[in-house]
Amino acid sequence: LVDRTVLVTGGAGFIGSHLVDALVEENEVRVLDDLSTGQVARLPDDVELVHGDVRNEELVAHATKDVDVVFHQAANVSVPASVENPMTTDAVNVDGTLAVLEAAREEDARVVVASSCAVYGDPLSLPLAETDRLRPESPYGVQKATVDEYARLYNELYGLETVALRYFNVYGPRQGDGGGYSGVISIFLEQARNGEDVTVEGDGSQTRDFVHVSDVVRANLAAATTDAVGEAFNVCTGTETSVLELAEHVVEHVDSNADIVNVEERAGDIARSYGDDTKARHQLEFETTVELEDGIRDLSTR
Ligand code: UD2
């Protein structure tokens, strides 16, 4: 993307800040972030920060003024938090997205919405494809399914250019910085570095589709220019890795003598998950580039 004015909501967060880095050289970048988990230190100098809540319609409209593309990453990303507080997380995740879509409608801006594989719930069949029924199993999953559908609806109803990206298990630099909700890879890396036990929940046979954040950025850039608007795409590698394999890779690459131990399985944990990347390859002309082992090797040297 070049010579555009773009808004990255959640731009001080894990994924948002990588997106900002990729955009800032050649575009005018604005960030809307409440800094609840985001960090100002992640933002390059040339970025305009609008500090505040995505539920604040006036503020969102102000941040969206004269914008060509909105990359909507702001969300409460914690599944457990959504189970604890369905209403407050719904307000942030759903009302916040509606505020963004409404502001974009005013500006006729394209919106790339961060959706999630959580929209699928426990898979009936694998790999998970975009045509599968949505059966979310957490308030977070319902909220993401809702905004994913709103993105499609805004395209159909108002002709707004929207794309929903269903992120699978994203990992990479800055994840879990400063505590808070983080993913298994950053937890394992931290444990291995500190020589602590690497805690595999259950027997470690559960699988996930781990996508490097740089590939998530590339998917967003593809979505900013694609003709395939009104569509939802998996952002996945199409391969599954077990949590035990993951633990072994991490310990090996960190060169740690940490032990891999089994702890209690997580209640309601999904046994297997990986996505079908065919639609994204064909219609979005996007495929992932970072192999999991390379991603882990790189993280282990940071
Ligand atoms: C991911 C997303 C979540 C939602 C969900 C949809 C992340 C961080 N979370 O949740 O937002 O989209 O997918 O299904 O990407 N584990 C261990 N030891 C640990 C921590 C985790 O064994 O110390 C296991 C855990 O039990 C699970 C797997 O690692 O089987 C992945 O856990 P996670 O929290 O990284 O991500 P997940 O798939 O629950």
Side-chain angles (χ1 to χ4, degrees):
L1 211 62
V2 289
D3 295 337
R4 303 289 173 84
T5 302
V6 301
L7 170 65
V8 182
T9 72
F14 162 48
I15 297 173
S17 65
H18 284 283
L19 201 44
V20 167
D21 286 346
L23 290 163
V24 77
E25 297 290 319
E26 296 183 305
N27 301 275
E28 194 177 318
V29 179
R30 224 175 276 161
V31 163
L32 174 72
D33 204 298
D34 69 356
L35 302 176
S36 57
T37 57
Q39 295 164 19
V40 186
R42 285 172 172 162
L43 296 177
D45 291 337
D46 303 355
V47 169
E48 183 194 344
L49 172 64
V50 179
H51 179 195
D53 197 308
V54 72
R55 286 168 291 186
N56 181 337
E57 289 165 59
E58 281 106 73
L59 192 70
V60 173
H62 163 73
T64 310
K65 195 96 196 82
D66 300 325
V67 157
D68 301 305
V69 186
V70 183
F71 298 93
H72 179 44
Q73 312 299 310
N76 188 319
V77 299
S78 167
V79 175
S82 79
V83 174
E84 276 302 306
N85 298 303
M87 282 179 78
T88 48
T89 53
D90 191 274
V92 174
N93 292 344
V94 178
D95 296 351
T97 303
L98 277 172
V100 167
L101 288 167
E102 281 296 290
R105 189 152 76 94
E106 193 63 38
E107 298 293 326
D108 202 19
R110 177 175 292 222
V111 184
V112 183
V113 171
S115 183
S116 167
C117 64
V119 301
Y120 297 117
D122 210 346
L124 290 175
S125 61
L126 288 165
L128 289 157
E130 290 85 347
T131 47
D132 289 359
R133 215 177 83 191
L134 305 188
R135 299 164 55 251
E137 285 175 348
S138 63
Y140 175 79
V142 170
Q143 292 154 17
K144 285 295 177 181
T146 303
V147 301
D148 187 299
E149 284 281 281
Y150 266 129
R152 179 188 56 75
L153 184 66
Y154 267 65
N155 178 253
E156 277 182 18
L157 204 54
Y158 307 117
L160 195 71
E161 295 183 352
T162 62
V163 178
L165 297 178
R166 296 176 180 168
Y167 302 163
F168 279 62
N169 287 61
V170 186
Y171 72 99
R174 302 177 198 160
Q175 186 174 36
D177 279 8
Y181 185 69
S182 117
V184 62
I185 293 185
S186 59
I187 294 170
F188 282 180
L189 277 162
E190 180 79 10
Q191 290 170 333
R193 279 205 190 96
N194 296 337
E196 294 163 9
D197 288 349
V198 173
T199 54
V200 170
E201 296 169 350
D203 64 5
S205 64
Q206 71 270 37
T207 65
R208 294 293 185 271
D209 188 330
F210 295 101
V211 192
H212 194 268
V213 68
S214 62
D215 282 326
V216 175
V217 167
R218 293 177 49 258
N220 273 274
L221 298 178
T225 54
T226 184
D227 291 333
V229 292
E231 297 288 334
F233 296 100
N234 286 345
V235 178
C236 63
T237 67
T239 59
E240 58 180 335
T241 304
S242 76
V243 168
L244 183 60
E245 257 178 276
L246 182 68
E248 286 165 353
H249 287 320
V250 169
V251 170
E252 179 196 328
H253 289 301
V254 173
D255 197 16
S256 167
N257 53 15
D259 293 320
I260 297 172
V261 301
N262 294 95
V263 299
E264 200 183 338
E265 186 182 328
R266 197 185 277 184
D269 194 44
I270 286 171
R272 287 178 69 194
S273 169
Y274 73 105
D276 185 337
D277 66 350
T278 311
K279 183 179 176 186
R281 273 195 284 115
H282 290 172
Q283 292 187 43
L284 193 57
E285 290 171 63
F286 163 77
E287 60 187 325
T288 57
T289 57
V290 182
E291 296 277 350
L292 180 59
E293 272 216 66
D294 295 330
I296 291 174
R297 188 178 302 113
D298 172 65
L299 283 172
S300 69
T301 62
R302 283 166 191 264

